[in-house]
Amino acid sequence: QVQLVESGGGWVEAGGSLRLSCTGSGRNLDTDTMGWFRQAPGKAREFVAGINSIDGSTSYSDSAKGRFTASRDNAKNTLFLQMNSLKTEDTAMYFCTQRPGYSMVIPTRPGPYVHWGQGTQVTVSS
């Protein structure tokens, strides 16, 4: 049973930074595609960033590009999301997710992903 546990969320002022972590258990994630999604109240879950296995290639949403960086430490079975220059519109619950294997194109929709964490709340105040 794969379990993903996010941490690192919290409250920050606009312009600040946070680093989210996602630690997996039950499976070595180094061969899997990993993603970050977020969901604000009343809105659909949206793609933020993804990172591939093997080559570590990444993909970002337009809103995350240039501000957020996804990375992974396979030795620790952990995924990271460094978020800089945070804006109030980044306020949401952030979820880590996993898709088995390498992806020719990192999925940006929730459907292809299999396992999800419980989420960590990020609140950005003005």
Side-chain angles (χ1 to χ4, degrees):
Q1 181 78 12
V2 176
Q3 289 190 329
L4 303 173
V5 179
E6 302 95 337
S7 62
W11 178 90
V12 65
E13 292 186 344
S17 299
L18 283 174
R19 189 192 195 205
L20 305 184
S21 299
C22 170
T23 300
S25 61
R27 175 187 172 92
N28 287 331
L29 303 175
D30 57 350
T31 59
D32 296 340
T33 303
M34 303 297 296
W36 288 100
F37 282 71
R38 67 186 183 187
Q39 188 167 18
K43 295 188 177 181
R45 191 165 295 193
E46 65 173 355
F47 175 78
V48 176
I51 184 166
N52 227 329
S53 60
I54 302 176
D55 59 9
S57 56
T58 55
S59 176
Y60 298 94
S61 66
D62 287 342
S63 63
K65 207 169 295 183
R67 299 188 300 128
F68 295 1
T69 303
S71 61
R72 61 197 301 166
D73 184 339
N74 290 331
K76 296 182 179 179
N77 225 28
T78 299
L79 176 72
F80 301 101
L81 184 67
Q82 177 67 44
M83 304 188 296
N84 299 328
S85 302
L86 282 161
K87 306 174 181 180
T88 55
E89 52 263 44
D90 293 318
T91 295
M93 185 74 78
Y94 283 71
F95 298 91
C96 167
T97 186
Q98 170 260 2
R99 179 177 191 251
Y102 178 82
S103 300
M104 294 300 291
V105 178
I106 294 174
T108 59
R109 293 176 296 172
Y113 294 90
V114 176
H115 295 99
W116 294 80
Q118 293 297 307
T120 185
Q121 177 68 38
V122 171
T123 303
V124 185
S125 65
S126 59

